């Protein structure tokens, strides 16, 4: 074997130990002034000036081609780029520069090395090492080792290293050859400040389930690095056009097959499975299963099952099962089952089962079952079963079963069963209406005001000699539940309802104007088929704080069908001593009276 070849093998084998020195070969400067000389001779002149050797396969290099070049103190790399016009790549090994023909397609080279703590010298694991232009990244292993495979498409590359609680570090390298570098990073020495975290998608249960620990670690390391790109496509988080750096890129157009994990969207994102975005989303986001957004969302967000926005939402949000917005929301939220906003809500919240707003509401809540407003609400609550507000409500509550407001209601509560308001400054309409205090009106069978009007009256009329009425509400408008009977040989029973109003004259006298309607039972075999309506003004005299007596005339209308009373029941209504007049085929009227005592 020739001696020169033995020397070449020794030099190539020992290349690793000479790596530091060899890395400077392409940066050495040379000067040339040649005209139409063979390429091989020009290479010899360069090698003599640089005190190194070229190595190449003779049949890939046109050694006899004539070249002309004029350069003064230019780097070897620069001169080679002029000679070969980018058709060759250069790799250093020992005191040799190896010339290789570029293959069709993109050439690659590798950067490897170790990351260590500058203060302690300890090797650092789980540090993010990345190249900003190509968006290629990796994490150091437990020994602090990393390796990056980069495209040879730029003259230089910027290698950056980031690690939580360490200062970011960058270094620029020349491209085109495999290299090993050593990087030291320094711990952050300034006092930690309170930081507002705007993205916490990794902490959601979906993020914990679908993102790997390495992806979460890299996201934590690279909080200060973001890039903008026109598009991206991914099969799953970390498997896409931006590789492991996908979570640091804001895209104009994004397509995810199984799922995606990106920094933001400023255009359109479509995922057949799911989309996870750390930052903001603008314009359109569509997912077959779910969307999770760590920042603000504006525009249209649609998911087959679930949408979760960890900041605010402005626009239209549609979820086949549920929608949750942690911040404020303005616009429309449509959920198949459950909708929730934790901040203030303005617009329309529509759900098949349940709507919950933990902030203030200004707009509509429409639910198939229940609406809940944890703070103040203004607008309309419409539900199939119930509406609930924790604080003040302005507007209309309409439900099939019941409305509850634990504060003031300024507006209307309308239900078929019950309404409750701590303070009513409007109208309640329902079978049972309850309020602690009221300046409004309650209309229903039972109206109860805790700090309002409560009275019990015992009285006689021209028809029945013993009656009891319970009156509740406000003196401006109170409801009456009454029951009565005629004691004696001619029995009769009644049960009824009415409304009334007090008109004060002075401290001791007032007028009570009432209208009542009652069903009368007189033993008919068909049950109750006769009714009476009474309109009666009554003059009241107060005898004390809780007692008054009253008396007054009545105008009575009696509605009846064919009556067949049983023996012992009253056969003539109102009685033989009371003249009556016909008002129709089954209606007669008369002037009557009532008198009694009121307590409470």
């Amino acid at each position: 074997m020739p001696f020169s070849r033995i020397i070449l093998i020794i030099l190539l084998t020992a290349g690793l130990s000479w790596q530091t020195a060899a890395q400077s070969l392409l940066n050495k400067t040379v000067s040339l002034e040649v005209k139409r000389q063979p390429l091989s001779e020009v290479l010899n002149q360069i090698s003599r000036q640089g005190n190194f050797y070229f190595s190449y396969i003779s049949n890939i290099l046109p050694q006899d081609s004539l070249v002309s070049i004029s350069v003064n103190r230019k780097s070897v790399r620069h001169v080679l780029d002029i000679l070969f016009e980018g058709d060759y790549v250069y790799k250093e090994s020992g005191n040799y520069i190896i010339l290789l023909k570029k293959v069709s397609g993109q050439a690659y080279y590798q950067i490897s090395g170790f990351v260590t703590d500058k203060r302690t010298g300890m090797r650092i694991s789980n540090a993010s090492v990345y190249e900003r232009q190509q968006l290629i990244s990796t994490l150091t292993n437990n020994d602090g080792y990393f390796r990056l495979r980069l495209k040879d498409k730029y003259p230089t590359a910027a290698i950056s290293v980031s690690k939580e609680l360490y200062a970011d570090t960058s270094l620029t390298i020349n491209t085109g050859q495999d290299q090993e570098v050593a990087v030291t990073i320094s711990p952050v020495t300034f006092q930690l400040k309170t930081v507002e975290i705007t993205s916490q998608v990794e902490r959601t249960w979906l993020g914990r389930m679908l993102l790997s620990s390495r992806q979460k670690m890299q996201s934590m390391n690279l909080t200060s690095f973001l890039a903008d790109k026109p598009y991206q496509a991914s099969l799953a988080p970390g498997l896409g056009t931006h590789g492991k750096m996908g979570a640091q890129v804001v895209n104009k157009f994004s397509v995810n097959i199984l799922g995606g994990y990106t920094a933001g969207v400023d255009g359109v994102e479509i995922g057949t499975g799911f989309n996870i975005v750390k930052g903001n989303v603008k314009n359109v986001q569509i997912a077959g299963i779910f969307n999770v957004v760590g920042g603000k969302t504006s525009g249209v967000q649609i998911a087959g099952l679930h949408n979760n926005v960890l900041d605010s939402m402005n626009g239209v949000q549609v979820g086949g099962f549920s929608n949750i917005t942690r911040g404020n929301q303005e616009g429309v939220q449509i959920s198949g089952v459950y909708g929730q906003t934790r901040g203030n809500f303005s617009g329309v919240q529509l759900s098949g089962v349940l709507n919950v707003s933990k902030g203030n509401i200004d707009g509509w809540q429409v639910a198939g079952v229940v609406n809940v407003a944890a703070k103040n609400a203004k607008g309309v609550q419409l539900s199939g079963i119930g509406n609930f507000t924790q604080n003040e409500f302005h507007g209309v509550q309409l439900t099939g079963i019941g409305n509850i407001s634990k504060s003031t209601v300024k507006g209307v509560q309308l239900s078929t069963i019950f309404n409750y308001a701590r303070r009513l400054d409007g109208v309640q309409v329902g079978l049972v209406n309850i309020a602690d205090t009221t300046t409004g009106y309650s209309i229903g069978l039972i109206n109860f005001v805790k700090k309002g009007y409560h009275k019990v009256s015992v009285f006689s009329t021209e028809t029945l000699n013993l009656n009891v009425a319970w009156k509740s509400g406000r003196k401006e408008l109170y409801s009456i539940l009454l029951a009565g009977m005629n004691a004696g040989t001619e029995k009769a029973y009644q049960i009824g309802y009415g409304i009334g109003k007090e008109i004060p004259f002075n401290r001791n006298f007032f007028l009570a104007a009432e209208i009542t309607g009652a069903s009368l039972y007189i033993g008919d075999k068909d049950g109750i088929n006769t009714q009476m309506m009474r309109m009666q003004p009554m003059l009241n005299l107060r005898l004390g704080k809780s007692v008054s007596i009253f008396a007054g005339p009545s105008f009575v209308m009696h509605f009846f069908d064919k009556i067949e009373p049983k023996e012992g029941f009253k056969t003539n209504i109102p009685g033989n001593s009371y003249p009556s007049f016909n008002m129709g085929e089954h209606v007669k009227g008369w002037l009557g009276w009532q008198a009694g005592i009121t307590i409470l």
Side-chain angles (χ1 to χ4, degrees):
M1 180 181 294
F3 179 77
S4 60
R5 183 168 296 183
I6 294 174
I7 294 299
L8 175 61
I9 292 174
I10 294 173
L11 290 173
L12 292 176
T13 305
L16 288 177
S17 62
W18 297 344
Q19 186 69 28
T20 302
Q23 287 178 358
S24 63
L25 297 181
L26 288 167
N27 292 327
K28 289 186 175 183
T29 58
V30 295
S31 298
L32 292 173
E33 187 69 43
V34 298
K35 291 184 178 180
R36 298 186 59 78
Q37 292 189 18
L39 176 61
S40 58
E41 176 59 30
V42 175
L43 292 177
N44 287 335
Q45 292 184 38
I46 296 172
S47 64
R48 285 195 296 270
Q49 289 188 43
N51 194 27
F52 61 84
Y53 301 96
F54 283 109
S55 175
Y56 52 85
I57 300 175
S58 59
N59 60 0
I60 69 166
L61 196 71
Q63 303 178 57
D64 297 331
S65 62
L66 300 180
V67 298
S68 300
I69 185 171
S70 177
V71 293
N72 182 33
R73 296 190 61 79
K74 298 294 182 181
S75 69
V76 172
R77 180 186 298 278
H78 180 80
V79 174
L80 293 177
D81 286 342
I82 295 175
L83 291 173
F84 297 125
E85 298 180 344
D87 292 334
Y88 289 78
V89 295
Y90 331 119
K91 296 184 179 297
E92 300 180 7
S93 180
N95 201 35
Y96 280 78
I97 293 178
I98 303 171
L99 304 179
L100 298 172
K101 180 73 173 179
K102 276 189 177 180
V103 297
S104 58
Q106 181 66 58
Y108 294 88
Y109 63 97
Q110 290 186 349
I111 304 296
S112 60
F114 293 88
V115 177
T116 58
D117 187 307
K118 186 175 183 179
R119 182 178 299 172
T120 65
M122 299 286 292
R123 291 179 177 178
I124 300 174
S125 63
N126 291 322
S128 294
V129 184
Y130 57 99
E131 205 285 321
R132 292 173 177 267
Q133 287 182 296
Q134 301 184 35
L135 295 178
I136 305 299
S137 70
T138 187
L139 288 174
T140 57
N141 65 13
N142 291 336
D143 296 323
Y145 178 77
F146 70 89
R147 183 172 58 191
L148 290 176
R149 186 170 182 259
L150 302 178
K151 298 175 183 178
D152 187 12
K153 57 186 297 188
Y154 303 102
T156 60
I159 305 300
S160 299
V161 180
S162 296
K163 172 68 175 176
E164 186 186 20
L165 302 181
Y166 283 83
D168 291 351
T169 302
S170 296
L171 65 155
T172 301
I173 62 171
N174 294 315
T175 62
Q177 70 277 342
D178 294 345
Q179 302 176 49
E180 184 171 330
V181 297
V183 184
T184 58
I185 58 177
S186 301
V188 175
T189 57
F190 58 82
Q191 184 177 0
L192 294 177
K193 300 179 181 178
T194 301
V195 179
E196 181 181 355
I197 298 175
T198 58
S199 174
Q200 303 183 64
V201 293
E202 297 86 1
R203 299 183 184 182
T204 64
W205 70 272
L206 289 170
R208 292 195 301 269
M209 179 175 65
L210 296 171
L211 301 178
S212 69
S213 59
R214 291 177 66 84
Q215 288 171 324
K216 298 172 190 175
M217 180 62 68
Q218 178 135 298
S219 179
M220 189 181 303
N221 290 339
L222 303 180
T223 54
S224 61
F225 173 73
L226 285 177
D228 295 310
K229 293 294 179 180
Y231 65 89
Q232 81 89 31
S234 67
L235 175 64
L239 299 176
T241 53
H242 301 328
K244 299 174 183 178
M245 292 290 282
Q248 306 306 125
V249 181
V250 178
N251 305 286
K252 294 286 186 184
F253 182 73
S254 178
V255 176
N256 304 307
I257 306 304
L258 297 177
Y261 176 44
T262 62
V265 177
D266 190 13
V268 177
E269 182 173 54
I270 300 173
T272 56
F274 62 87
N275 301 309
I276 299 177
V277 178
K278 292 166 52 177
N280 300 330
V281 170
K282 293 182 180 179
N283 297 329
V284 179
Q285 186 182 49
I286 302 173
I289 301 175
F290 68 85
N291 294 303
V292 178
V293 178
K296 297 177 173 61
T297 301
S298 61
V300 178
Q301 186 182 53
I302 301 173
L305 286 180
H306 176 65
N307 291 306
N308 190 359
V309 176
L310 305 185
D311 200 295
S312 61
M313 172 73 198
N314 187 349
V316 178
Q317 188 180 46
V318 181
F321 184 84
S322 59
N323 293 300
I324 297 177
T325 300
R326 289 191 183 179
N328 299 330
Q329 179 156 356
E330 182 176 351
V332 179
Q333 186 184 61
I334 303 174
S335 311
V337 176
Y338 176 69
Q340 182 191 103
T341 58
R342 298 186 184 179
N344 298 329
F345 180 82
S346 176
V348 178
Q349 190 179 36
L350 176 63
S351 174
V353 177
L354 173 64
N355 286 315
V356 176
S357 178
K358 296 187 176 182
N360 299 321
I361 296 177
D362 186 2
W364 287 61
Q365 274 191 317
V366 182
V369 179
V370 176
N371 291 306
V372 176
K375 292 187 177 179
N376 298 326
K378 181 180 180 181
V380 177
Q381 280 188 318
L382 175 63
S383 69
I385 291 181
N387 296 308
F388 174 85
T389 58
Q390 180 70 34
N391 290 354
E392 194 168 282
F393 179 81
H394 294 243
V396 177
Q397 283 185 312
L398 176 62
T399 185
I401 303 297
N403 296 304
I404 298 175
S405 178
K406 299 188 72 175
S407 186
T408 301
V409 171
K410 296 183 178 181
V412 178
Q413 284 186 314
L414 178 62
S415 71
T416 59
I417 306 299
F418 74 92
N419 297 298
Y420 169 77
R422 177 169 292 179
R423 178 179 175 83
L424 178 64
D425 289 342
V427 178
Q428 288 178 320
V429 180
L431 187 64
V432 178
N433 299 302
I434 302 171
D436 289 359
T437 61
T438 179
T439 59
Y441 299 93
S442 298
I443 302 172
L445 181 62
I446 299 175
N447 302 304
F448 179 79
V449 179
K450 183 178 180 181
K451 299 178 182 179
Y453 187 95
H454 308 288
K455 292 187 177 182
V456 175
S457 297
V458 180
F459 59 95
S460 293
T461 69
E462 78 290 342
T463 306
L464 303 176
N465 52 28
L466 181 58
N467 300 276
V468 177
W470 181 57
K471 305 175 183 180
S472 65
R474 297 175 61 212
K475 64 181 180 180
E476 290 82 3
L477 179 66
Y478 55 85
S479 63
I480 306 168
L481 288 178
L482 62 90
M485 62 179 294
N486 196 58
T489 58
E490 293 184 330
K491 292 183 292 185
Y493 303 94
Q494 75 167 353
I495 184 170
Y497 174 81
I499 58 175
K501 175 181 175 64
E502 286 190 1
I503 304 172
F505 294 142
N506 55 42
R507 184 175 180 181
N508 295 320
F509 285 94
F510 63 91
L511 183 69
E514 297 179 349
I515 299 176
T516 63
S519 296
L520 190 65
Y521 178 68
I522 54 175
D524 188 78
K525 64 180 180 178
D526 294 328
I528 297 175
N529 60 3
T530 179
Q531 293 83 32
M532 286 192 303
M533 186 175 73
R534 304 176 67 92
M535 292 173 282
Q536 51 207 22
M538 299 173 295
L539 186 63
N540 289 256
L541 172 62
R542 298 186 193 276
L543 301 180
K545 183 178 179 181
S546 303
V547 179
S548 62
I549 57 174
F550 63 88
S554 301
F555 175 72
V556 186
M557 297 175 64
H558 183 210
F559 302 87
F560 58 89
D561 290 327
K562 183 179 179 181
I563 301 174
E564 296 181 6
K566 293 181 180 180
E567 184 177 354
F569 282 82
K570 197 166 188 175
T571 59
N572 189 10
I573 302 296
N576 295 327
S577 60
Y578 285 89
S580 61
F581 49 89
N582 291 326
M583 300 180 65
E585 183 178 358
H586 297 289
V587 183
K588 65 180 180 178
W590 65 86
L591 293 176
W593 60 268
Q594 70 172 358
I597 184 171
T598 299
I599 57 176
L600 298 181

